[in-house]
Amino acid sequence: MHAPEDYRLEERPVPTPAAHELLIQVEAVGVCASDLKAYAGAAKFWGDENRDRWVEPGIIPGHEITGTVVQGSDEILAHHGVSVGDRIVVEQIVPCGECMYCQRGWYWMCAPHDMFGFKHYHGGMAEYMIVPKLARAHRISKDIAPQHAAYAEPLSCSMHAVERAELEFDDVVVIAGAGPIGLGAIIGAAHKNPKLVIALDFDDEKLELAKKCGADLTLNPSKVDIYEEIRGLTGGYGADVYIECTGHPSAVPQGLNLAAQARPLRGVLRVQGERLRGLVDHLRRQGARRARRPPRPAHLARRHQDHREGRPAPRRDLHPPVRPRRLPEGPRLGRRLRRRLRQGLHPPRPLSTAPLIPDQP
């Protein structure tokens, strides 16, 4: 792809892998919504007056990939745990392994964010492609159909969102969007056995698929008031978990307004897009979930060590306040968020001088 709406069918020589690279023959590649947005010239990929261009012109697109290993040195084959002739799928991101996120184990947040088919590495819309050492390749069975294997990448996005939501048995889970990623999230959520899985979509045919994938209830926002329906099902409280799988900005304030006030942002997770992700994750980690969990042994040990060394317990007022911008619609939810933000996102903690764990004789 050379520019928006300038994608060309070209003949290129088969790439020659270096000692630290695999060469695979591509069997199947999916067409993601992000591929369509990149073709149409979305600013997220090609940049505008507010952001730099991310896509590299001339790169081969395609990031939902499966193929067969045809060449590689012994070293790189051992590194990826594969042999020539094995079938593999690859994760779309190629993490650097050196940034703060990679060092903390959050490689999907890698700061350089190199990615097959968009940045630095050619993708799978070719007969052959290079898989570098930094890539994450996974060997798969020879019995899986290529088109099913290529779906592993979007399905992994769905499963990742479900895992991060930390579902519980009594949760009412709302999943916005019943496309490929939304259906994957419905399957994952249903296997967690929450109280209720609700799917939202404007397409009734997709909602029928959602039922087959495990949704207990489907709602079409163009036909029913989803806010009243969900509040009616939850005694007026709202959903415990909201997983956004549409990629549309309007789904974020929708999730904020659907979420239960006691745990307003625990499950508002962007599967596609970046808006509010940092705020959501921070609130989820620092807020409601903390109040629901007992102290962990490591936390108790750290507090005990602080006491023995004369350090006081952390206090909320030691953290600088956060000045929020205008928040999404929803007056009651907005007030709760503004109050939490003004408090610096940290619930109060007592300043105690008593040891949490008595000294051992």
Side-chain angles (χ1 to χ4, degrees):
M1 52 185 178
H2 296 273
E5 299 187 16
D6 183 10
Y7 282 38
R8 307 172 194 174
L9 180 62
E10 301 175 345
E11 285 197 19
R12 298 189 182 185
V14 176
T16 302
H20 58 280
E21 296 174 332
L22 290 176
L23 177 67
I24 68 169
Q25 184 174 14
V26 178
E27 296 182 36
V29 59
V31 179
C32 178
S34 58
D35 292 312
L36 301 179
K37 292 174 183 177
Y39 176 80
K44 176 182 177 181
F45 302 97
W46 297 100
D48 56 17
E49 64 275 9
N50 298 315
R51 70 188 88 185
D52 295 331
R53 173 177 49 80
W54 182 56
V55 169
E56 295 181 357
I59 203 164
I60 298 172
H63 59 273
E64 301 174 1
I65 306 158
T66 185
T68 302
V69 178
V70 295
Q71 189 177 342
S73 66
D74 292 340
E75 176 187 356
I76 195 63
L77 290 171
H79 172 78
H80 286 295
V82 299
S83 303
V84 172
D86 283 346
R87 300 177 71 216
I88 64 171
V89 295
V90 294
E91 299 185 31
Q92 62 171 342
I93 192 168
V94 183
C96 69
E98 298 178 355
C99 69
M100 177 190 72
Y101 302 108
C102 288
Q103 290 294 315
R104 292 185 178 183
W106 307 335
Y107 68 89
W108 57 90
M109 295 288 292
C110 176
H113 223 72
D114 292 337
M115 188 178 292
F116 286 117
F118 291 109
K119 183 181 178 184
H120 199 72
Y121 297 102
H122 289 301
M125 293 188 184
E127 291 183 80
Y128 295 88
M129 66 170 283
I130 293 292
V131 177
K133 184 175 183 178
L134 291 173
R136 292 181 171 252
H138 306 275
R139 185 173 58 183
I140 61 172
S141 167
K142 295 182 181 295
D143 298 328
I144 302 175
Q147 67 272 23
H148 295 166
Y151 183 61
E153 191 280 326
L155 182 61
S156 69
C157 294
S158 306
M159 296 297 105
H160 181 63
V162 171
E163 287 296 314
R164 291 177 66 193
E166 300 177 351
L167 304 186
E168 299 177 0
F169 292 133
D170 287 335
D171 283 339
V172 173
V173 182
V174 174
I175 297 175
I181 291 182
L183 293 174
I186 290 167
I187 293 171
H191 278 76
K192 294 285 187 176
N193 290 318
K195 179 186 293 183
L196 194 64
V197 176
I198 303 173
L200 308 180
D201 204 284
F202 289 96
D203 189 327
D204 288 334
E205 292 185 358
K206 291 182 179 179
L207 292 177
E208 287 300 317
L209 286 175
K211 291 180 181 178
K212 294 179 180 180
C213 291
D216 301 300
L217 176 67
T218 61
L219 298 175
N220 187 327
S222 67
K223 297 181 178 180
V224 299
D225 186 330
I226 59 174
Y227 302 99
E228 291 303 318
E229 291 285 338
I230 292 171
R231 291 192 187 106
L233 290 168
T234 58
Y237 291 103
D240 297 292
V241 177
Y242 177 89
I243 301 179
E244 200 289 293
C245 301
T246 70
H248 196 279
S250 65
V252 177
Q254 173 180 270
L256 295 172
N257 289 321
L258 283 172
Q261 293 184 30
R263 296 175 286 174
L265 289 176
R266 177 164 65 92
V268 184
L269 305 173
R270 293 308 309 269
V271 178
Q272 304 174 52
E274 305 295 329
R275 295 189 179 193
L276 296 181
R277 178 164 59 184
L279 171 62
V280 167
D281 284 353
H282 191 74
L283 283 172
R284 184 170 62 84
R285 287 195 301 268
Q286 303 290 345
R289 295 300 287 185
R290 174 184 291 168
R292 292 163 54 84
R293 286 179 173 171
R296 298 178 181 177
H299 297 167
L300 293 173
R302 186 162 59 248
R303 287 289 304 279
H304 181 48
Q305 183 69 19
D306 289 343
H307 171 74
R308 295 185 67 174
E309 296 178 3
R311 292 192 296 267
R315 292 174 55 188
R316 182 191 65 195
D317 57 3
L318 297 179
H319 300 276
V322 178
R323 301 296 180 187
R325 294 182 178 182
R326 185 180 181 86
L327 291 168
E329 297 179 359
R332 287 183 295 178
L333 181 57
R335 284 196 296 271
R336 293 181 65 83
L337 281 173
R338 279 189 285 270
R339 184 163 62 250
R340 178 62 63 85
L341 288 167
R342 282 195 297 269
Q343 292 174 350
L345 305 178
H346 292 270
R349 296 179 179 178
L351 181 60
S352 172
T353 59
L356 292 177
I357 304 175
D359 290 331
Q360 299 297 321

